[in-house]
Amino acid sequence: MSKAIVLYLHVHQPYRIRHYTIFDSAVNHDYFDAAYEDQESNERILKKVAEKSYLPTNARLLQLLNDNPQFKLSLSITGTVLEQLEKWSPEALRSFQELCATGRVEIVAETYHHSLAFFYSRAEFEMQVDMHKRKVQELFGQTPQVFRNTELCYNNDVAYWADKAGYKGILAEGWDPILGWRSPNHVYRPTYTNNIRLLMKNYKLSDDIAFRFGDQNWSEWPLTADKFAGWLADDQTATNFNLFMDYETFGEHQWEESGIFGFLAHLPGEWLKNEHHTFMTVSEVIDNNEPVDSVDIPQTITWADTERDLSAWLGNAMQSSSIQALYDLQADIIQTGDFALIEDWRRLQTSDHFYYMCTKYFNDGDIHAYFSPYKTPYEAYINFMNAFHDLKFRLSEKGVAV
Amino acid sequence: MKVLMLGWELPPHNSGGLGIACYQLCKALSKKDLDIEFVVPYRADHGIDFMNITAAHPQGVSEVIRSGIAYDSYRYVLEDGTEEHLDIYAQAQLYEHAVAKLVEETEFDIVHAHDWLTFRAALRAKEAKGCPIILHVHSVESDRAGGRGNPLVHEIEDLAMHAADRIIAVSEHTKQVIHREYHIPLSKIEVVHNSIEPGDLVPLDANNSYRYLEAMKALGYRVVVNIGRLTVQKGLPNLLHAMKDVIARQPKTMLLIVGSGEQYYELLTLAAELGIGQNVLFTDFQRGKRWRDAYAIADLFVMPSVSEPFGLTPLEAIGYGTPTLVTHQSGVSEVLTNCLKVDFWDIKEMANQIAAVVSNDALRDVLHANAHQEYQRMSWTNASHRIEQLYKDHLVVAS
């Protein structure tokens, strides 16, 4: 029986809101245009990440694809990062296109704006998934077959929707309370569905690479490709190892100095030494394996924090009230038919804005702070609300009652 | 007559009402036959010509640099070029030693000291010269800290007020607090209310900085404003709770909060928790035009203070065209008749009165028109007469 590594990398950059005060509201509508030297400059961050992560990683991935006919991977790339690549790093965008041109890189479906729209507006959600599909078709010439919701947000309803929408697979976190005695290293079927299959992230193995790789206090440090491949080889029953992580793990979260690129370069060679070992994209692993069980997940799970729920985005009142306020504008915004206004409203839906407002562990200066361009969650909230007020102003200018 | 005036700040280097009150009082006093030597703990240009301003420098220090507001640390540049940062308590002690040195070289008849930071210095001056000292209480520790506050500060206030020849309280409210908390006989405490000089108010220009609020007002929204430090004595959580009720009845109501302080994040969170995050705007600390424009954009200025020795902001609001709601626990409520008044704890009544103004422009306009008549009669002249008389009384006693 063959065993496959299912490597799936998530590529995303939001449009961060600049330092936007109440004195900007009703005056300037350039929420996302920070000065180049500012912390919140999207252009500066995009260029930095392209240089540190996208370009060097894609160069190595392309090399691996050329050197190993069995090497395959899957990517999800949000619409907001694709736009930014088009504007500020066409060479990085080209390097993603070159990967896809090998025919062994599969693009995964998601919302264009990396939003939590599924939980607030089904119509808006479907619009964004469709926008993303069309963008992927345009840039990569393929139509996504497998769906992932933003932040791997998942519950029975998401699976039911994806099944009805015709996707063959959906991704979720392989969280222990859900899996129970089961292993994430198989294909599952979401309950209440017939056709769609569920792939659950092996978070232990994924986080060994994504979070622990460069940690010199970790008992397994340094992690080498042959050690890691050895762990996978030892699992006698697994059919697929779902290694799901942020793309920026390579070169950004784990810096080049940690040896992460060397690990990536050697992993396929080490793994493929055994003839029963292979790599598969998310569609292939679904096509090649029958589900071993059905999984019932009535509550929403995500891939974030130890809680694995939505609390990183919606856990405090600043977050829950501001996102609700934003979606309350939906009908009025859409009705204007003003593309610039609608697009700004959609960019504000990106989940990162709410993540920056998270106060969990704020005092510990932890991972949330690492990902935020703002000094405090409160600053993030104030910027967001002032942009929200400006949206309201723009609506009022069109004669909408606000 | 020569007055040694001991103060902590003067505009434009002030952090709040204390500096403005000292400035206006001295300006009014300078019109009398009085020489004022005003000692501040830092070196800066104030552009003031009606009195002599002296920087109290401890020996061996070549420069003192303020970092911003009165309660921050100061940076002392020593003569050998090294620098030292001092907290507020250490600064007050340095100020005391510097004043002790200064009084040896200076002739004066009476000492007039403003708030606890200068009280030890006043005691040193009295010790050295035997002159009368008048302590001017703009606030006591419980006003600032909400509760008993810092025991060291309380002790300085207690000692100094007992040793003082006379105490000036900025309101009847403060006089009662001094009596209650420090057991000073009421007869030793004189109330001299703060005031305002309408002619000194910097005029507004044609464009208001709050364009968004202007646009919303044109759509029927009404704006409630508070300006001040976001600190416990200011009672802002009660205002937010009241605004929740107001907004439930009048959804087109916005609250603008101008200021910074240790409650900033707490208030942001509370507004969101109360479900009025969309209606509450925070600007952080502002001065100059944006500060003036905040008064002007308001339909109602609310000062919900738990304990406010005087409270100048409502008078400034009236000057900029806005009626006010203040708490009974404020000094300004003793001198202002045409304003709304509530107890700081009475959230329901606060909501009731705010809702009345934001839903009735006629009430708003009448309230302001009448308040403005009172306002135009205000000045520091009366306060300066009373204080000059106090000086004279004590010099007679002293001689």
Side-chain angles (χ1 to χ4, degrees):
Chain A
M1 192 181 73
S2 77
K3 279 196 281 194
I5 288 180
V6 182
L7 179 62
Y8 154 70
L9 306 176
H10 171 56
V11 190
H12 168 60
Q13 294 295 329
Y15 282 102
R16 295 161 195 83
I17 306 174
R18 69 176 175 91
H19 178 63
Y20 188 85
T21 71
I22 193 59
F23 304 103
D24 289 306
S25 302
V27 179
N28 305 306
H29 312 313
D30 54 348
Y31 326 132
F32 310 108
D33 299 342
Y36 190 79
E37 58 279 1
D38 288 353
Q39 275 295 107
E40 312 90 25
S41 165
N42 295 305
E43 181 178 357
R44 194 176 55 79
I45 293 172
L46 193 279
K47 284 179 170 167
K48 190 189 85 176
V49 177
E51 187 195 334
K52 280 182 70 175
S53 178
Y54 301 154
L55 287 166
T57 307
N58 280 350
R60 285 168 174 88
L61 289 171
L62 188 62
Q63 187 70 44
L64 288 173
L65 288 159
N66 290 337
D67 294 349
N68 302 282
Q70 288 194 65
F71 180 64
K72 291 166 184 171
L73 75 150
S74 308
L75 293 173
S76 61
I77 315 184
T78 63
T80 54
V81 72
L82 286 171
E83 282 178 9
Q84 295 185 51
L85 289 170
E86 285 176 318
K87 270 185 283 196
W88 298 316
S89 186
E91 65 276 24
L93 177 59
R94 231 172 0 256
S95 70
F96 280 112
Q97 288 169 322
E98 284 165 14
L99 294 186
C100 290
T102 64
R104 283 177 281 139
V105 176
E106 177 179 344
I107 305 285
V108 175
E110 65 184 317
T111 59
Y112 189 97
H113 293 86
H114 199 261
S115 73
L116 300 174
F118 184 85
F119 304 100
Y120 290 90
S121 164
R122 194 61 58 86
E124 174 62 18
F125 167 78
E126 289 178 352
M127 173 60 83
Q128 290 182 13
V129 173
D130 190 55
M131 285 173 74
H132 183 255
K133 181 173 82 180
R134 280 183 282 140
K135 189 78 176 171
V136 169
Q137 285 169 338
E138 172 201 327
L139 291 176
F140 301 105
Q142 55 173 285
T143 301
Q145 306 293 313
V146 171
F147 181 74
R148 68 147 243 153
N149 201 2
T150 305
E151 309 293 1
L152 248 51
C153 288
Y154 179 93
N155 60 30
N156 290 339
D157 290 342
V158 181
Y160 185 83
W161 174 87
D163 188 35
K164 290 281 174 263
Y167 291 101
K168 69 164 70 165
I170 185 164
L171 311 184
E173 174 73 4
W175 189 221
D176 307 87
I178 305 296
L179 282 164
W181 55 271
R182 295 170 291 202
S183 155
N185 305 333
H186 296 276
V187 173
Y188 290 91
R189 178 179 63 81
T191 187
Y192 312 118
T193 66
N194 291 318
N195 303 317
I196 198 167
R197 299 292 174 256
L198 173 61
L199 297 180
M200 301 185 83
K201 170 184 165 185
N202 185 318
Y203 73 86
K204 293 188 188 78
L205 292 172
S206 301
D207 292 353
D208 285 342
I209 301 170
F211 293 133
R212 287 181 284 273
F213 184 83
D215 179 3
Q216 303 203 4
N217 295 317
W218 180 35
S219 60
E220 298 293 348
W221 186 88
L223 180 62
T224 57
D226 66 324
K227 186 200 279 188
F228 189 79
W231 292 345
L232 272 52
D234 285 346
D235 188 324
Q236 300 303 318
T237 61
T239 54
N240 47 289
F241 297 98
N242 301 331
L243 305 181
F244 298 175
M245 64 199 76
D246 277 348
Y247 181 103
E248 292 87 358
T249 296
F250 299 97
E252 168 58 25
H253 309 341
Q254 302 294 340
W255 289 14
E256 178 162 15
E257 293 73 22
S258 69
I260 192 74
F261 288 125
F263 176 86
L264 178 64
H266 287 100
L267 183 62
E270 289 297 331
W271 177 244
L272 296 170
K273 277 178 182 169
N274 184 318
E275 59 176 324
H276 299 298
H277 292 177
T278 187
F279 284 86
M280 288 185 186
T281 67
V282 286
S283 285
E284 280 179 312
V285 72
I286 289 164
D287 292 342
N288 284 288
N289 292 282
E290 285 304 311
V292 294
D293 198 1
S294 71
V295 181
D296 180 23
I297 309 183
Q299 76 276 35
T300 302
I301 60 168
T302 72
W303 69 357
D305 295 351
T306 50
E307 292 88 349
R308 297 297 205 284
D309 59 13
L310 281 165
S311 58
W313 299 274
L314 305 174
N316 70 37
M318 292 189 291
Q319 298 169 305
S320 56
S321 65
S322 57
I323 196 170
Q324 186 65 59
L326 190 69
Y327 282 103
D328 284 348
L329 296 182
Q330 178 181 346
D332 289 335
I333 294 266
I334 297 293
Q335 205 143 38
T336 64
D338 177 337
F339 184 76
L341 180 60
I342 294 170
E343 185 53 28
D344 282 348
W345 173 69
R346 291 199 163 124
R347 286 181 185 181
L348 289 172
Q349 292 179 38
T350 299
S351 67
D352 303 59
H353 302 306
F354 308 101
Y355 192 81
Y356 301 146
M357 299 176 201
C358 181
T359 45
K360 277 197 294 182
Y361 326 120
F362 170 52
N363 295 324
D364 308 335
D366 77 333
I367 187 108
H368 289 255
Y370 176 82
F371 286 109
S372 177
Y374 309 105
K375 284 192 214 68
T376 69
Y378 308 99
E379 203 180 299
Y381 171 73
I382 291 172
N383 289 333
F384 181 91
M385 288 308 290
N386 288 331
F388 166 81
H389 287 300
D390 189 69
L391 279 187
K392 268 175 65 171
F393 168 78
R394 289 162 72 185
L395 274 178
S396 74
E397 280 203 309
K398 293 179 177 297
V400 177
V402 295
Chain B
M1 191 194 318
K2 183 151 185 207
V3 183
L4 184 67
M5 193 78 81
L6 302 180
W8 201 251
E9 58 175 32
L10 285 171
H13 305 282
N14 60 313
S15 64
L18 175 62
I20 294 166
C22 287
Y23 171 86
Q24 293 290 1
L25 175 64
C26 291
K27 194 174 168 191
L29 281 171
S30 72
K31 291 173 186 141
K32 303 181 171 299
D33 187 20
L34 291 170
D35 258 349
I36 302 170
E37 172 110 17
F38 198 105
V39 187
V40 288
Y42 57 92
R43 183 186 295 280
D45 184 16
H46 294 90
I48 291 172
D49 58 4
F50 54 77
M51 62 181 173
N52 191 24
I53 298 173
T54 306
H57 277 196
Q59 283 178 297
V61 172
S62 60
E63 203 177 2
V64 187
I65 299 155
R66 300 191 66 183
S67 55
I69 64 165
Y71 292 91
D72 277 356
S73 60
Y74 282 27
R75 184 154 58 96
Y76 282 75
V77 182
L78 305 180
E79 276 173 351
D80 61 7
T82 59
E83 294 185 357
E84 202 177 331
H85 287 264
L86 293 178
D87 65 22
I88 192 81
Y89 197 69
Q91 289 159 48
Q93 277 189 316
L94 269 187
Y95 181 82
E96 171 195 344
H97 294 304
V99 170
K101 179 85 183 141
L102 191 73
V103 297
E104 287 174 17
E105 304 151 359
T106 317
E107 287 302 318
F108 53 88
D109 303 300
I110 194 161
V111 174
H112 184 163
H114 298 269
D115 270 8
W116 76 273
L117 287 158
T118 70
F119 284 178
R120 284 174 61 127
L123 291 178
R124 289 289 287 269
K126 184 177 176 67
E127 203 175 271
K129 293 282 175 92
C131 60
I133 59 172
I134 293 178
L135 302 187
H136 201 134
V137 178
H138 299 260
S139 67
V140 295
E141 181 60 6
S142 63
D143 294 319
R144 294 181 295 263
R148 193 150 183 279
N150 185 332
L152 293 174
V153 175
H154 186 91
E155 188 182 330
I156 290 170
E157 290 179 332
D158 190 67
L159 267 172
M161 286 199 267
H162 278 95
D165 295 86
R166 195 79 170 165
I167 294 166
I168 297 172
V170 295
S171 62
E172 185 64 31
H173 170 79
T174 297
K175 177 176 177 173
Q176 294 300 330
V177 172
I178 293 169
H179 175 61
R180 191 170 66 240
E181 294 183 8
Y182 300 87
H183 314 295
I184 307 290
L186 289 170
S187 59
K188 188 174 165 178
I189 310 168
E190 193 77 19
V191 174
V192 179
H193 284 108
N194 284 352
S195 191
I196 192 162
E197 288 292 338
D200 283 5
L201 219 57
V202 178
L204 300 168
D205 57 31
N207 301 310
N208 192 287
S209 329
Y210 299 84
R211 293 275 295 280
Y212 173 69
L213 289 173
E214 279 188 326
M216 292 297 112
K217 284 180 76 161
L219 298 171
Y221 279 76
R222 291 295 174 260
V223 179
V224 176
V225 172
N226 173 269
I227 302 177
R229 268 185 307 129
L230 309 185
T231 187
V232 62
Q233 75 170 108
K234 300 296 184 183
L236 289 159
N238 287 359
L239 175 58
L240 288 178
H241 282 282
M243 286 305 291
K244 181 185 163 72
D245 283 358
V246 172
I247 290 161
R249 281 186 268 179
Q250 296 290 339
K252 289 190 168 186
T253 310
M254 308 285 265
L255 172 64
L256 178 71
I257 294 181
V258 180
S260 62
E262 79 273 0
Q263 279 194 326
Y264 194 2
Y265 299 157
E266 181 186 333
L267 294 169
L268 267 177
T269 307
L270 179 59
E273 282 169 359
L274 291 171
I276 56 173
Q278 284 188 57
N279 301 67
V280 185
L281 305 175
F282 291 87
T283 68
D284 209 338
F285 180 78
Q286 301 294 338
R287 42 169 98 242
K289 175 172 164 58
R290 287 175 173 181
W291 171 82
R292 292 190 290 276
D293 287 350
Y295 284 122
I297 199 73
D299 293 283
L300 180 68
F301 182 86
V302 179
M303 185 179 75
S305 298
V306 171
S307 177
E308 189 71 60
F310 185 76
L312 182 63
T313 51
L315 299 183
E316 291 171 334
I318 293 164
Y320 286 119
T322 300
T324 61
L325 185 160
V326 303
T327 55
H328 290 298
Q329 290 69 38
S330 70
V332 71
S333 70
E334 298 163 19
V335 297
L336 187 63
T337 308
N338 289 286
C339 66
L340 301 174
K341 295 175 190 178
V342 295
D343 288 314
F344 78 84
W345 62 82
D346 195 348
I347 291 168
K348 273 203 166 138
E349 185 54 25
M350 198 184 292
N352 178 42
Q353 298 196 9
I354 294 171
V357 175
V358 298
S359 56
N360 187 337
D361 290 354
L363 171 61
R364 175 195 68 189
D365 296 343
V366 169
L367 196 54
H368 176 258
N370 292 333
H372 198 253
Q373 287 184 5
E374 281 188 77
Y375 164 84
Q376 282 178 313
R377 289 194 297 270
M378 290 180 179
S379 91
W380 279 87
T381 310
N382 189 38
S384 70
H385 291 331
R386 306 241 339 261
I387 286 172
E388 183 190 31
Q389 193 55 47
L390 278 182
Y391 290 166
K392 286 179 178 163
D393 293 349
H394 281 279
L395 287 180
V396 171
V397 172
S399 62

